[in-house]
Amino acid sequence: MAIRKFLRSKLSQFKMKTNRLVLLRHGESEFNLENKFCGWHDAPLTENGEREACMVASPALLQSKLDFDVVYTSVLDRSKKSAELILSNMNRAYVPTKADWRLCERHYGNLTGFRKREIANIYGEDQVQAWRRGYDDVPPEINTENRYYYVIRNNPIFDDVPAGQFPMTESLGMCVDRVEPVWKEIKQEVLNGTRVLICVHGTVTRALVKHIEGVSKEAIQKVNIPNSIPRVYEFNMKTGELVGGPINLGDPEYIKKKTAQVAAIGD
């Protein structure tokens, strides 16, 4: 249904000059599987995460006849690997990829590495959900006693992060602010006719949804993004405005199930 709707929307191109952008959360990571706060830790994809990129995202993009001139990722491996697998399975391995630290996942501070249920048992579910979904709720800063502190701080993939901008923790709102400059750059490329895929992280996709759709601070707290489900936007290249709403590509029941899993604290 979603794919048929997407293909019908192509008729709008005969009425105005438009271009599409695809937003995508990476495949399942090891910390997703273990239900841990991940943030800036460079957790790899699981075998299932690789399968999602190859068997969920790629077929949906191919069936919708989407193609790309450039792919944006973060510098984290789970983002880059997902993009690599998707392009390879689309026979588009030659498409250039731009890795930008500003598209890294939200930094979860001293929650990094802990199971969500473990933190909920200590602080209560309401507090954990506030840290996960609240717009201005900031987790405690990561400190040197956290086993991932030095792993993250000494990781050379972050060498391009300017002095003074390396986060110790972030709220959703802080993540929204961090991605705004790179989003403006990407949007300009889209309006210039570049076909862009953004393959990033859960909170970063939510931050981008806020910028793209103009979602309120209150409404974005209820948005949940499942792994490897392409979210397609169409822009009027003259005005920069959205044409219609977002279209999620894939089986609606599968998307509903995976979205509910993301929303829950879990075991």
Side-chain angles (χ1 to χ4, degrees), residues 183-194:
W183 161 241
K184 289 181 177 179
E185 296 168 14
I186 294 172
K187 183 177 181 181
Q188 191 55 58
E189 286 196 55
V190 173
L191 298 184
N192 288 340
T194 303

Side-chain angles (χ1 to χ4, degrees), residues 212-226:
I212 295 169
E213 301 180 31
V215 177
S216 70
K217 292 181 179 181
E218 293 72 27
I220 198 61
Q221 298 179 43
K222 299 178 182 179
V223 173
N224 294 286
I225 306 292

Side-chain angles (χ1 to χ4, degrees), residues 101 158-166:
W101 74 268
F158 300 128
D159 285 350
D160 290 336
V161 181
Q165 294 189 40
F166 201 112

Side-chain angles (χ1 to χ4, degrees), residues 33-44:
L33 177 63
E34 297 170 1
N35 198 29
K36 292 179 177 178
F37 289 100
C38 191
W40 279 40
H41 175 57
D42 200 13

Side-chain angles (χ1 to χ4, degrees), residues 38-251:
C38 191
W40 279 40
H41 175 57
D42 200 13
L45 295 178
T46 61
E47 288 186 8
N48 183 58
E50 294 183 1
R51 185 197 66 81
E52 288 175 334
C54 298
M55 304 303 294
V56 178
S58 294
L61 294 169
L62 285 168
Q63 189 174 355
S64 298
K65 303 185 186 305
L66 284 158
D67 213 341
F68 305 105
D69 301 306
V70 66
V71 179
Y72 277 85
T73 72
S74 77
V75 297
L76 293 163
D77 183 72
R78 57 193 185 272
S79 170
K80 296 193 296 181
K81 183 65 174 179
S82 294
E84 175 188 330
L85 290 169
I86 290 168
L87 291 175
S88 177
N89 278 271
M90 294 179 69
N91 293 319
R92 296 293 186 273
Y94 55 82
V95 173
T97 300
K98 296 182 180 180
D100 195 308
W101 74 268
R102 295 171 296 177
L103 293 173
C104 283
E105 178 59 298
R106 166 192 176 184
H107 197 305
Y108 275 103
N110 217 36
L111 304 182
T112 303
F114 289 94
R115 293 176 64 90
K116 294 167 187 172
R117 175 51 57 188
E118 179 182 6
I119 296 297
N121 290 342
I122 298 171
Y123 295 98
E125 292 196 4
D126 289 345
Q127 179 61 75
V128 171
Q129 288 296 67
W131 281 331
R132 294 182 67 216
R133 295 290 177 254
Y135 194 82
D136 295 311
D137 296 86
V138 185
E141 289 190 358
I142 193 168
N143 59 52
T144 56
E145 294 182 2
N146 186 298
R147 62 179 295 188
Y148 295 100
Y149 177 88
Y150 291 108
V151 175
I152 294 171
R153 289 306 302 250
N154 295 331
N155 193 330
I157 66 174
F158 300 128
D159 285 350
D160 290 336
V161 181
Q165 294 189 40
F166 201 112
M168 300 295 281
T169 186
E170 288 179 305
S171 65
L172 169 58
M174 293 163 71
C175 185
V176 169
D177 292 341
R178 167 160 58 83
V179 304
E180 183 175 12
V182 67
W183 161 241
K184 289 181 177 179
E185 296 168 14
I186 294 172
K187 183 177 181 181
Q188 191 55 58
E189 286 196 55
V190 173
L191 298 184
N192 288 340
T194 303
R195 298 168 297 178
V196 177
L197 167 64
I198 306 176
C199 181
V200 282
H201 309 270
T203 307
V204 176
T205 56
R206 293 169 66 211
L208 290 168
V209 164
K210 187 179 189 312
H211 288 301
I212 295 169
E213 301 180 31
V215 177
S216 70
K217 292 181 179 181
E218 293 72 27
I220 198 61
Q221 298 179 43
K222 299 178 182 179
V223 173
N224 294 286
I225 306 292
N227 298 92
S228 296
I229 301 299
R231 189 177 182 94
V232 185
Y233 295 96
E234 185 171 14
F235 289 89
N236 182 320
M237 293 171 64
K238 182 177 180 180
T239 66
E241 296 177 344
L242 280 176
V243 179
I247 298 174
N248 293 317
L249 303 181
D251 176 67

Side-chain angles (χ1 to χ4, degrees), residues 251-261:
D251 176 67
E253 288 303 313
Y254 176 85
I255 296 173
K256 182 178 179 181
K257 175 184 175 182
K258 292 298 182 180
T259 302
Q261 289 177 357

